[in-house]
Amino acid sequence: MIKCQSRTSLKQYIPQKPVKRGIKVWVRADSHNGYFSQFEVYQGKGSNTTPELGLGGSVVKTLTRPLVGKHHHIFMDNFFTSPALLMDLLQDGIYACGTVRSNRRGFPQDLKGKRILKNRGDFTVRQSGQLTATVWLDNKQVQVMATMSSQMREGLSELRHTDTTVREVQAPTSINYVQQVDGRSIQGQG
């Protein structure tokens, strides 16, 4: 969201955002340096939304059009991620990973629920073909879906405690991907 006080039909109001009024811009950025590769100004409800993918999926498909067939890896947050979108991107030769809302259509039923895990650092994984769904318990449950990881691969992830101590635990690959990218939202989340 770009802060804007002028009169324009592009201005949006989103009370949950730090910048409540402004122009909403969808961005594809490089996760290593934060540079914008492509952007699109949101112009309100339009006819370019694919019903099966919704607004978020349609935005991702538009912004990834130049990447088709190049086997890039993209990362997204839970507004965009859905099983249908991930499989659609995989068919286009694009691998994807993102946090996901547990109530999304296609998310495994047995992974839905408030607290399916007990201890911090625990995780459970379900895989169907190349689509992997993971639930990991950090301070709260984190749901991730990916087409670029295997349920068998694990790595070390850092858990930071309030007393500034750090403990390394085993975590699925998709969680490590999300943690690597999470801190690289250099342009802000406003």
Short mmCIF file of all heavy atoms in Angstrom, two decimals, residues 103-157:
data_model
loop_
_atom_site.label_atom_id
_atom_site.label_comp_id
_atom_site.label_asym_id
_atom_site.label_seq_id
_atom_site.Cartn_x
_atom_site.Cartn_y
_atom_site.Cartn_z
N ASN A 103 -8.26 -22.89 6.26
CA ASN A 103 -9.63 -23.09 5.76
C ASN A 103 -9.71 -23.02 4.23
O ASN A 103 -10.80 -23.05 3.67
CB ASN A 103 -10.57 -22.06 6.38
CG ASN A 103 -10.23 -20.64 6.03
OD1 ASN A 103 -9.19 -20.36 5.43
ND2 ASN A 103 -11.08 -19.71 6.42
N ARG A 104 -8.57 -22.97 3.54
CA ARG A 104 -8.58 -22.97 2.07
C ARG A 104 -9.11 -24.29 1.53
O ARG A 104 -8.82 -25.35 2.07
CB ARG A 104 -7.18 -22.77 1.51
CG ARG A 104 -6.62 -21.41 1.67
CD ARG A 104 -7.09 -20.50 0.58
NE ARG A 104 -6.38 -19.23 0.78
CZ ARG A 104 -6.64 -18.16 0.11
NH1 ARG A 104 -7.56 -18.16 -0.82
NH2 ARG A 104 -5.99 -17.05 0.34
N ARG A 105 -9.86 -24.21 0.46
CA ARG A 105 -10.36 -25.41 -0.21
C ARG A 105 -9.16 -26.21 -0.70
O ARG A 105 -8.26 -25.68 -1.33
CB ARG A 105 -11.24 -25.02 -1.39
CG ARG A 105 -11.88 -26.21 -2.08
CD ARG A 105 -12.76 -25.80 -3.24
NE ARG A 105 -13.79 -24.88 -2.78
CZ ARG A 105 -14.25 -23.88 -3.51
NH1 ARG A 105 -13.77 -23.65 -4.71
NH2 ARG A 105 -15.19 -23.09 -3.05
N GLY A 106 -9.14 -27.50 -0.37
CA GLY A 106 -8.05 -28.36 -0.80
C GLY A 106 -6.98 -28.59 0.25
O GLY A 106 -6.13 -29.46 0.09
N PHE A 107 -7.01 -27.82 1.34
CA PHE A 107 -6.05 -28.04 2.43
C PHE A 107 -6.47 -29.31 3.17
O PHE A 107 -7.66 -29.50 3.42
CB PHE A 107 -6.03 -26.84 3.39
CG PHE A 107 -4.89 -26.87 4.37
CD1 PHE A 107 -3.61 -26.54 3.98
CD2 PHE A 107 -5.11 -27.23 5.69
CE1 PHE A 107 -2.56 -26.56 4.88
CE2 PHE A 107 -4.07 -27.25 6.60
CZ PHE A 107 -2.79 -26.92 6.19
N PRO A 108 -5.54 -30.21 3.50
CA PRO A 108 -5.91 -31.49 4.12
C PRO A 108 -6.78 -31.32 5.38
O PRO A 108 -6.43 -30.55 6.29
CB PRO A 108 -4.57 -32.12 4.49
CG PRO A 108 -3.60 -31.48 3.57
CD PRO A 108 -4.10 -30.09 3.32
N GLN A 109 -7.90 -32.05 5.42
CA GLN A 109 -8.85 -31.95 6.54
C GLN A 109 -8.20 -32.30 7.88
O GLN A 109 -8.48 -31.66 8.89
CB GLN A 109 -10.05 -32.88 6.31
CG GLN A 109 -10.99 -32.41 5.23
CD GLN A 109 -11.74 -31.14 5.61
OE1 GLN A 109 -12.02 -30.90 6.78
NE2 GLN A 109 -12.05 -30.33 4.62
N ASP A 110 -7.32 -33.31 7.90
CA ASP A 110 -6.75 -33.74 9.18
C ASP A 110 -5.70 -32.76 9.71
O ASP A 110 -5.28 -32.87 10.86
CB ASP A 110 -6.15 -35.15 9.07
CG ASP A 110 -5.01 -35.22 8.09
OD1 ASP A 110 -5.06 -34.54 7.05
OD2 ASP A 110 -4.07 -35.99 8.36
N LEU A 111 -5.31 -31.76 8.92
CA LEU A 111 -4.37 -30.74 9.40
C LEU A 111 -5.08 -29.48 9.86
O LEU A 111 -4.45 -28.56 10.35
CB LEU A 111 -3.35 -30.39 8.31
CG LEU A 111 -2.41 -31.50 7.88
CD1 LEU A 111 -1.42 -30.98 6.84
CD2 LEU A 111 -1.68 -32.11 9.05
N LYS A 112 -6.39 -29.45 9.70
CA LYS A 112 -7.17 -28.29 10.14
C LYS A 112 -7.43 -28.41 11.62
O LYS A 112 -7.58 -29.49 12.15
CB LYS A 112 -8.49 -28.19 9.38
CG LYS A 112 -8.31 -27.90 7.91
CD LYS A 112 -9.64 -27.80 7.21
CE LYS A 112 -9.42 -27.50 5.74
NZ LYS A 112 -10.66 -27.32 5.00
N GLY A 113 -7.50 -27.30 12.29
CA GLY A 113 -7.80 -27.31 13.72
C GLY A 113 -6.92 -26.32 14.46
O GLY A 113 -5.88 -25.90 13.98
N LYS A 114 -7.36 -25.96 15.65
CA LYS A 114 -6.66 -24.95 16.44
C LYS A 114 -5.27 -25.41 16.86
O LYS A 114 -4.30 -24.74 16.61
CB LYS A 114 -7.49 -24.59 17.68
CG LYS A 114 -8.79 -23.90 17.35
CD LYS A 114 -8.59 -22.43 17.31
CE LYS A 114 -9.95 -21.76 17.10
NZ LYS A 114 -9.86 -20.50 16.51
N ARG A 115 -5.19 -26.53 17.56
CA ARG A 115 -3.89 -27.00 18.07
C ARG A 115 -3.75 -28.49 17.81
O ARG A 115 -4.05 -29.31 18.67
CB ARG A 115 -3.76 -26.75 19.57
CG ARG A 115 -3.43 -25.36 20.03
CD ARG A 115 -2.03 -24.99 19.66
NE ARG A 115 -1.08 -25.29 20.71
CZ ARG A 115 -0.15 -24.46 21.11
NH1 ARG A 115 -0.08 -23.27 20.60
NH2 ARG A 115 0.71 -24.82 22.02
N ILE A 116 -3.25 -28.86 16.65
CA ILE A 116 -3.05 -30.28 16.39
C ILE A 116 -1.66 -30.72 16.85
O ILE A 116 -1.40 -31.91 16.95
CB ILE A 116 -3.26 -30.63 14.90
CG1 ILE A 116 -2.24 -29.93 14.02
CG2 ILE A 116 -4.66 -30.30 14.44
CD1 ILE A 116 -2.21 -30.45 12.61
N LEU A 117 -0.77 -29.75 17.15
CA LEU A 117 0.58 -30.06 17.65
C LEU A 117 0.72 -29.58 19.08
O LEU A 117 0.08 -28.62 19.49
CB LEU A 117 1.63 -29.40 16.75
CG LEU A 117 1.59 -29.81 15.27
CD1 LEU A 117 2.54 -28.94 14.46
CD2 LEU A 117 1.93 -31.27 15.11
N LYS A 118 1.58 -30.23 19.85
CA LYS A 118 1.68 -29.92 21.27
C LYS A 118 2.93 -29.10 21.63
O LYS A 118 2.85 -28.16 22.39
CB LYS A 118 1.72 -31.23 22.09
CG LYS A 118 0.53 -32.13 21.85
CD LYS A 118 -0.71 -31.59 22.50
CE LYS A 118 -1.85 -32.55 22.34
NZ LYS A 118 -2.99 -32.01 21.68
N ASN A 119 4.10 -29.47 21.10
CA ASN A 119 5.35 -28.85 21.53
C ASN A 119 5.94 -27.97 20.45
O ASN A 119 5.90 -28.31 19.26
CB ASN A 119 6.38 -29.93 21.90
CG ASN A 119 5.89 -30.80 23.04
OD1 ASN A 119 5.36 -30.31 24.03
ND2 ASN A 119 6.04 -32.10 22.87
N ARG A 120 6.53 -26.85 20.86
CA ARG A 120 7.16 -25.93 19.93
C ARG A 120 8.27 -26.66 19.15
O ARG A 120 9.10 -27.33 19.72
CB ARG A 120 7.75 -24.77 20.72
CG ARG A 120 8.08 -23.60 19.86
CD ARG A 120 8.32 -22.37 20.69
NE ARG A 120 8.71 -21.30 19.81
CZ ARG A 120 9.62 -20.42 20.08
NH1 ARG A 120 10.24 -20.44 21.23
NH2 ARG A 120 9.92 -19.47 19.22
N GLY A 121 8.23 -26.52 17.83
CA GLY A 121 9.20 -27.21 16.98
C GLY A 121 8.64 -28.47 16.34
O GLY A 121 9.23 -29.00 15.41
N ASP A 122 7.48 -28.97 16.84
CA ASP A 122 6.86 -30.16 16.25
C ASP A 122 6.26 -29.80 14.89
O ASP A 122 5.85 -28.67 14.65
CB ASP A 122 5.73 -30.69 17.13
CG ASP A 122 6.24 -31.36 18.40
OD1 ASP A 122 7.46 -31.58 18.51
OD2 ASP A 122 5.41 -31.65 19.28
N PHE A 123 6.18 -30.78 14.01
CA PHE A 123 5.55 -30.56 12.71
C PHE A 123 4.95 -31.85 12.19
O PHE A 123 5.31 -32.94 12.63
CB PHE A 123 6.53 -29.97 11.69
CG PHE A 123 7.64 -30.89 11.30
CD1 PHE A 123 7.51 -31.74 10.20
CD2 PHE A 123 8.83 -30.89 11.99
CE1 PHE A 123 8.54 -32.58 9.84
CE2 PHE A 123 9.88 -31.73 11.63
CZ PHE A 123 9.74 -32.57 10.55
N THR A 124 4.02 -31.70 11.28
CA THR A 124 3.44 -32.84 10.58
C THR A 124 3.29 -32.45 9.10
O THR A 124 3.08 -31.28 8.78
CB THR A 124 2.10 -33.27 11.19
OG1 THR A 124 1.66 -34.46 10.54
CG2 THR A 124 1.05 -32.21 11.08
N VAL A 125 3.42 -33.43 8.22
CA VAL A 125 3.45 -33.18 6.78
C VAL A 125 2.52 -34.15 6.06
O VAL A 125 2.43 -35.32 6.44
CB VAL A 125 4.88 -33.35 6.22
CG1 VAL A 125 4.92 -33.09 4.73
CG2 VAL A 125 5.87 -32.46 6.95
N ARG A 126 1.83 -33.67 5.05
CA ARG A 126 1.04 -34.51 4.15
C ARG A 126 1.48 -34.19 2.73
O ARG A 126 1.72 -33.03 2.41
CB ARG A 126 -0.46 -34.24 4.28
CG ARG A 126 -1.04 -34.47 5.65
CD ARG A 126 -1.03 -35.94 6.04
NE ARG A 126 -1.59 -36.12 7.36
CZ ARG A 126 -0.91 -36.10 8.50
NH1 ARG A 126 0.39 -35.90 8.47
NH2 ARG A 126 -1.50 -36.28 9.65
N GLN A 127 1.60 -35.23 1.90
CA GLN A 127 2.03 -35.00 0.53
C GLN A 127 1.12 -35.75 -0.42
O GLN A 127 0.78 -36.91 -0.20
CB GLN A 127 3.47 -35.45 0.33
CG GLN A 127 4.02 -35.07 -1.02
CD GLN A 127 5.54 -35.15 -1.08
OE1 GLN A 127 6.20 -35.44 -0.10
NE2 GLN A 127 6.09 -34.88 -2.24
N SER A 128 0.72 -35.07 -1.49
CA SER A 128 -0.07 -35.66 -2.55
C SER A 128 0.61 -35.29 -3.87
O SER A 128 0.56 -34.13 -4.28
CB SER A 128 -1.49 -35.13 -2.51
OG SER A 128 -2.23 -35.61 -3.61
N GLY A 129 1.26 -36.26 -4.47
CA GLY A 129 2.03 -35.96 -5.68
C GLY A 129 3.17 -35.03 -5.34
O GLY A 129 3.97 -35.30 -4.45
N GLN A 130 3.24 -33.89 -6.03
CA GLN A 130 4.29 -32.92 -5.75
C GLN A 130 3.85 -31.80 -4.82
O GLN A 130 4.61 -30.90 -4.53
CB GLN A 130 4.80 -32.32 -7.06
CG GLN A 130 5.60 -33.31 -7.87
CD GLN A 130 6.24 -32.65 -9.06
OE1 GLN A 130 5.63 -32.52 -10.11
NE2 GLN A 130 7.47 -32.22 -8.89
N LEU A 131 2.63 -31.87 -4.33
CA LEU A 131 2.10 -30.84 -3.43
C LEU A 131 2.27 -31.29 -1.98
O LEU A 131 1.79 -32.35 -1.59
CB LEU A 131 0.63 -30.58 -3.74
CG LEU A 131 -0.05 -29.47 -2.96
CD1 LEU A 131 0.60 -28.12 -3.26
CD2 LEU A 131 -1.52 -29.41 -3.32
N THR A 132 2.95 -30.46 -1.19
CA THR A 132 3.22 -30.79 0.20
C THR A 132 2.53 -29.77 1.11
O THR A 132 2.64 -28.57 0.89
CB THR A 132 4.74 -30.74 0.49
OG1 THR A 132 5.39 -31.61 -0.41
CG2 THR A 132 5.04 -31.15 1.91
N ALA A 133 1.81 -30.26 2.12
CA ALA A 133 1.19 -29.40 3.14
C ALA A 133 1.87 -29.70 4.47
O ALA A 133 2.01 -30.85 4.86
CB ALA A 133 -0.30 -29.68 3.24
N THR A 134 2.30 -28.65 5.15
CA THR A 134 3.04 -28.79 6.40
C THR A 134 2.42 -27.91 7.47
O THR A 134 2.04 -26.77 7.19
CB THR A 134 4.51 -28.35 6.21
OG1 THR A 134 5.08 -29.09 5.13
CG2 THR A 134 5.32 -28.57 7.47
N VAL A 135 2.31 -28.42 8.68
CA VAL A 135 1.92 -27.61 9.84
C VAL A 135 3.07 -27.71 10.82
O VAL A 135 3.52 -28.81 11.15
CB VAL A 135 0.61 -28.11 10.48
CG1 VAL A 135 0.28 -27.29 11.71
CG2 VAL A 135 -0.53 -28.03 9.48
N TRP A 136 3.57 -26.56 11.26
CA TRP A 136 4.71 -26.49 12.17
C TRP A 136 4.32 -25.60 13.34
O TRP A 136 3.66 -24.57 13.15
CB TRP A 136 5.91 -25.91 11.43
CG TRP A 136 7.19 -25.89 12.20
CD1 TRP A 136 7.87 -26.95 12.69
CD2 TRP A 136 7.98 -24.74 12.53
NE1 TRP A 136 9.03 -26.55 13.29
CE2 TRP A 136 9.12 -25.19 13.21
CE3 TRP A 136 7.83 -23.38 12.31
CZ2 TRP A 136 10.11 -24.33 13.69
CZ3 TRP A 136 8.81 -22.53 12.77
CH2 TRP A 136 9.93 -23.00 13.45
N LEU A 137 4.70 -25.98 14.55
CA LEU A 137 4.36 -25.18 15.73
C LEU A 137 5.56 -24.34 16.14
O LEU A 137 6.59 -24.86 16.57
CB LEU A 137 3.92 -26.07 16.89
CG LEU A 137 3.43 -25.34 18.14
CD1 LEU A 137 2.21 -24.48 17.84
CD2 LEU A 137 3.11 -26.33 19.25
N ASP A 138 5.43 -23.04 15.98
CA ASP A 138 6.42 -22.08 16.49
C ASP A 138 5.73 -21.46 17.70
O ASP A 138 5.29 -22.17 18.57
CB ASP A 138 6.76 -21.07 15.41
CG ASP A 138 7.98 -20.21 15.76
OD1 ASP A 138 8.63 -20.50 16.77
OD2 ASP A 138 8.27 -19.25 15.03
N ASN A 139 5.60 -20.14 17.77
CA ASN A 139 4.79 -19.54 18.83
C ASN A 139 3.31 -19.86 18.61
O ASN A 139 2.53 -19.93 19.55
CB ASN A 139 4.99 -18.03 18.87
CG ASN A 139 6.36 -17.66 19.37
OD1 ASN A 139 6.92 -18.37 20.21
ND2 ASN A 139 6.92 -16.59 18.85
N LYS A 140 2.94 -20.00 17.35
CA LYS A 140 1.60 -20.46 16.98
C LYS A 140 1.77 -21.39 15.78
O LYS A 140 2.85 -21.49 15.21
CB LYS A 140 0.68 -19.29 16.66
CG LYS A 140 1.13 -18.43 15.51
CD LYS A 140 0.16 -17.30 15.29
CE LYS A 140 0.58 -16.50 14.07
NZ LYS A 140 -0.39 -15.50 13.70
N GLN A 141 0.71 -22.07 15.39
CA GLN A 141 0.78 -22.99 14.26
C GLN A 141 0.97 -22.22 12.97
O GLN A 141 0.33 -21.21 12.73
CB GLN A 141 -0.48 -23.84 14.18
CG GLN A 141 -0.47 -24.99 15.13
CD GLN A 141 -1.62 -25.95 14.92
OE1 GLN A 141 -1.64 -26.95 15.57
NE2 GLN A 141 -2.56 -25.70 14.06
N VAL A 142 1.86 -22.73 12.14
CA VAL A 142 2.13 -22.15 10.83
C VAL A 142 1.82 -23.21 9.78
O VAL A 142 2.34 -24.32 9.87
CB VAL A 142 3.61 -21.72 10.70
CG1 VAL A 142 3.89 -21.14 9.34
CG2 VAL A 142 3.98 -20.73 11.80
N GLN A 143 0.95 -22.88 8.83
CA GLN A 143 0.62 -23.81 7.75
C GLN A 143 1.32 -23.34 6.49
O GLN A 143 1.26 -22.16 6.13
CB GLN A 143 -0.90 -23.84 7.48
CG GLN A 143 -1.72 -24.36 8.61
CD GLN A 143 -2.19 -23.26 9.55
OE1 GLN A 143 -2.03 -22.07 9.29
NE2 GLN A 143 -2.76 -23.66 10.66
N VAL A 144 1.99 -24.28 5.82
CA VAL A 144 2.74 -23.97 4.60
C VAL A 144 2.40 -25.00 3.54
O VAL A 144 2.27 -26.19 3.86
CB VAL A 144 4.26 -23.98 4.88
CG1 VAL A 144 5.05 -23.76 3.60
CG2 VAL A 144 4.63 -22.95 5.92
N MET A 145 2.25 -24.55 2.31
CA MET A 145 2.09 -25.47 1.19
C MET A 145 3.19 -25.16 0.18
O MET A 145 3.56 -24.00 -0.01
CB MET A 145 0.72 -25.33 0.54
CG MET A 145 -0.39 -25.81 1.46
SD MET A 145 -1.94 -26.06 0.61
CE MET A 145 -1.71 -27.72 0.02
N ALA A 146 3.69 -26.23 -0.47
CA ALA A 146 4.78 -26.05 -1.43
C ALA A 146 4.75 -27.12 -2.50
O ALA A 146 4.26 -28.22 -2.28
CB ALA A 146 6.11 -26.08 -0.69
N THR A 147 5.33 -26.77 -3.65
CA THR A 147 5.53 -27.75 -4.71
C THR A 147 7.02 -27.96 -4.94
O THR A 147 7.40 -28.61 -5.89
CB THR A 147 4.89 -27.28 -6.04
OG1 THR A 147 5.42 -25.99 -6.37
CG2 THR A 147 3.39 -27.23 -5.93
N MET A 148 7.85 -27.41 -4.06
CA MET A 148 9.29 -27.48 -4.25
C MET A 148 10.00 -28.25 -3.15
O MET A 148 11.21 -28.18 -3.03
CB MET A 148 9.87 -26.07 -4.33
CG MET A 148 9.68 -25.27 -3.07
SD MET A 148 10.42 -23.66 -3.10
CE MET A 148 9.39 -22.79 -4.22
N SER A 149 9.27 -28.96 -2.33
CA SER A 149 9.93 -29.66 -1.23
C SER A 149 9.37 -31.06 -1.09
O SER A 149 8.27 -31.36 -1.52
CB SER A 149 9.76 -28.89 0.07
OG SER A 149 8.41 -28.84 0.43
N SER A 150 10.14 -31.90 -0.43
CA SER A 150 9.72 -33.27 -0.17
C SER A 150 9.49 -33.41 1.33
O SER A 150 10.20 -32.80 2.12
CB SER A 150 10.81 -34.24 -0.62
OG SER A 150 10.59 -35.51 -0.07
N GLN A 151 8.53 -34.23 1.72
CA GLN A 151 8.29 -34.41 3.14
C GLN A 151 9.46 -35.12 3.83
O GLN A 151 9.60 -35.07 5.03
CB GLN A 151 7.00 -35.18 3.38
CG GLN A 151 7.02 -36.61 2.89
CD GLN A 151 5.71 -37.29 3.16
OE1 GLN A 151 4.78 -36.69 3.68
NE2 GLN A 151 5.62 -38.55 2.85
N MET A 152 10.31 -35.77 3.07
CA MET A 152 11.43 -36.51 3.66
C MET A 152 12.61 -35.61 4.00
O MET A 152 13.41 -35.93 4.85
CB MET A 152 11.92 -37.60 2.69
CG MET A 152 10.84 -38.60 2.34
SD MET A 152 10.19 -39.33 3.84
CE MET A 152 8.77 -40.16 3.22
N ARG A 153 12.73 -34.46 3.32
CA ARG A 153 13.87 -33.60 3.55
C ARG A 153 13.62 -32.70 4.75
O ARG A 153 12.57 -32.10 4.89
CB ARG A 153 14.14 -32.75 2.32
CG ARG A 153 14.62 -33.61 1.16
CD ARG A 153 14.81 -32.85 -0.11
NE ARG A 153 15.46 -31.57 0.08
CZ ARG A 153 15.33 -30.55 -0.75
NH1 ARG A 153 14.56 -30.66 -1.79
NH2 ARG A 153 15.95 -29.42 -0.54
N GLU A 154 14.61 -32.59 5.61
CA GLU A 154 14.52 -31.73 6.77
C GLU A 154 15.80 -30.92 6.87
O GLU A 154 16.83 -31.26 6.31
CB GLU A 154 14.36 -32.55 8.05
CG GLU A 154 13.08 -33.31 8.15
CD GLU A 154 12.97 -34.09 9.45
OE1 GLU A 154 13.81 -33.90 10.34
OE2 GLU A 154 12.05 -34.89 9.55
N GLY A 155 15.74 -29.84 7.62
CA GLY A 155 16.91 -29.01 7.88
C GLY A 155 16.80 -28.47 9.29
O GLY A 155 15.85 -28.76 10.02
N LEU A 156 17.76 -27.67 9.68
CA LEU A 156 17.74 -27.07 11.00
C LEU A 156 17.07 -25.70 10.92
O LEU A 156 17.29 -24.94 9.99
CB LEU A 156 19.15 -26.93 11.56
CG LEU A 156 19.84 -28.24 11.92
CD1 LEU A 156 21.26 -27.96 12.37
CD2 LEU A 156 19.08 -28.96 13.02
N SER A 157 16.26 -25.41 11.90
CA SER A 157 15.60 -24.13 12.00
C SER A 157 15.84 -23.57 13.39
O SER A 157 15.95 -24.32 14.36
CB SER A 157 14.10 -24.31 11.76
OG SER A 157 13.47 -23.06 11.76
#
